[in-house]
Amino acid sequence: MSAPQSPLFGSVADVAERLAGVGYLASTAVATTVYLADRLGKPLLVEGPAGVGKTELAKAVAQATGSGLVRLQCYEGIDEARALYEWNHAKQLLRITAGQGKESWDETRDDVFSEEFLLPRPLLTAIRRSEPTVLLIDEMDKADVEVEGLLLEVLSDFQVTVPEMGTISATRKPFVLLTSNSTRELSEALKRRCLFLHLDFPDADLERRIVASRVPELTEALVDALVRTVRVLRTLELRKSPSVAETIDWGRTLLALGLDTLDDDAVRATLGVVLKHQSDTVKAAAELRLN
């Protein structure tokens, strides 16, 4: 069992204030869900389209609370060895070779399956940390369904079983945040263990505040023009809608070029900052009536 521990946040308002202090402007829904995940000690599953700030939320929680960030980046084909742990086979082989003729196999086996030869991966690393930790399991929907089974023990009991060594339980529960772009449906067993938060693109007012906070050198008029244009682009059926991060990048681009208005020439010259597919650029140019 993990030892009793103090929560990371004191209230919903504390979450919002401290996240804002590290540059993440959270809505009331986001701040409330983060507070509850922390207070109840439950993992937080955050779903939504790419680029709405899911990964940044985990980073912001870590920064705001002075916690270490341990990240498991999911991808097709990820397995137990990359998520939980694996054995240092090369070092084990050297140890076995060195012990031949000098000791029994039982002695050698007990030695090679010990701490010295264990290579912890993100899940085990987060479980074993005694310091405050945020465990980010990023893009869970990209992993195979079988990987979800590996997570159930971690997310239910905050422990990992290493057959050769026994069960390793958390001394301090990490704050766990899973993200998903909803490219596939996650299992009900996994969802039951988590609180749920859906993140979408922010409303115009919040996005203006985000851009202004990240690129304070921009004029209010230019921030407004950027946000209005990006929101038009998001209404189109694009292969990839512009993310909030790309809105910020667009603002920084205009600043770097010394542009103080978002006229047709400026949009035409810099549209590649926010759109990454030629078909999207063509469609946007037609919608925005760029020649």
Side-chain angles (χ1 to χ4, degrees), residues 3-282:
Q5 60 196 56
S6 301
L8 299 173
F9 299 101
S11 65
V12 174
D14 184 41
V15 175
E17 181 180 347
R18 291 167 69 184
L19 291 182
V22 296
Y24 191 99
L25 302 183
S27 67
T28 300
V30 170
T32 301
T33 311
V34 168
Y35 172 75
L36 290 174
D38 173 46
R39 188 53 60 104
L40 299 176
K42 292 180 70 68
L44 173 58
L45 171 61
V46 185
E47 288 189 341
V52 295
K54 302 185 296 296
T55 300
E56 289 303 313
L57 176 58
K59 294 178 180 178
V61 170
Q63 189 177 353
T65 59
S67 301
L69 178 67
V70 177
R71 180 175 182 172
L72 172 62
Q73 179 63 54
C74 296
Y75 53 87
E76 186 176 353
I78 191 173
D79 58 11
E80 182 175 353
R82 296 302 177 190
L84 284 171
Y85 69 90
E86 62 181 325
W87 294 103
N88 188 332
H89 299 301
K91 191 173 182 179
Q92 285 177 321
L93 182 58
L94 289 173
R95 173 63 181 84
I96 292 169
T97 302
Q100 284 180 341
K102 301 177 183 178
E103 58 189 14
S104 69
W105 166 243
D106 286 343
E107 291 174 318
T108 303
R109 181 188 58 204
D110 289 344
D111 194 16
V112 298
F113 288 111
S114 64
E115 180 70 33
E116 181 182 355
F117 300 88
L118 186 66
L119 297 174
R121 298 308 183 196
L123 296 181
L124 182 56
T125 296
I127 286 295
R128 300 175 81 184
R129 282 176 54 89
S130 58
E131 303 86 359
T133 302
V134 173
L135 171 59
L136 168 60
I137 304 173
D138 213 7
E139 299 186 297
M140 184 67 229
D141 51 323
K142 287 188 176 180
D144 298 329
V145 176
E146 291 76 15
V147 175
E148 293 185 29
L150 301 177
L151 292 174
L152 298 184
E153 182 182 23
V154 176
L155 300 184
S156 293
D157 304 315
F158 291 94
Q159 64 183 28
V160 171
T161 299
V162 180
E164 298 85 355
M165 295 177 60
T167 299
I168 301 172
S169 299
T171 56
R172 182 186 181 101
K173 288 183 180 180
F175 181 100
V176 183
L177 191 148
L178 305 90
T179 75
S180 169
N181 295 334
S182 303
T183 58
R184 71 170 177 86
E185 189 73 19
L186 301 180
S187 71
E188 291 301 321
L190 181 66
K191 288 184 173 182
R192 277 198 306 272
R193 287 160 172 79
C194 303
L195 297 185
F196 177 79
L197 173 67
H198 180 80
L199 268 187
D200 212 332
F201 293 112
D203 61 31
D205 179 63
L206 180 55
E207 189 160 14
R208 279 193 292 267
R209 288 168 53 209
I210 292 170
V211 175
S213 69
R214 294 298 185 91
V215 197
E217 301 87 349
L218 294 176
T219 65
E220 184 177 340
L222 188 51
V223 170
D224 185 63
L226 278 169
V227 170
R228 281 189 289 105
T229 304
V230 167
R231 292 179 69 81
V232 170
L233 295 176
R234 290 183 188 142
T235 65
L236 308 179
E237 294 183 1
L238 304 177
R239 290 180 60 183
K240 183 189 178 302
S241 291
S243 67
V244 178
E246 285 160 341
T247 309
I248 294 168
D249 286 344
W250 205 2
R252 289 172 175 159
T253 298
L254 296 177
L255 197 64
L257 293 174
L259 301 174
D260 55 9
T261 59
L262 194 64
D263 56 21
D264 287 356
D265 289 338
V267 172
R268 190 181 305 107
T270 60
L271 198 54
V273 175
V274 288
L275 300 181
K276 307 303 169 63
H277 298 279
Q278 177 61 19
S279 59
D280 289 349
T281 301
V282 171

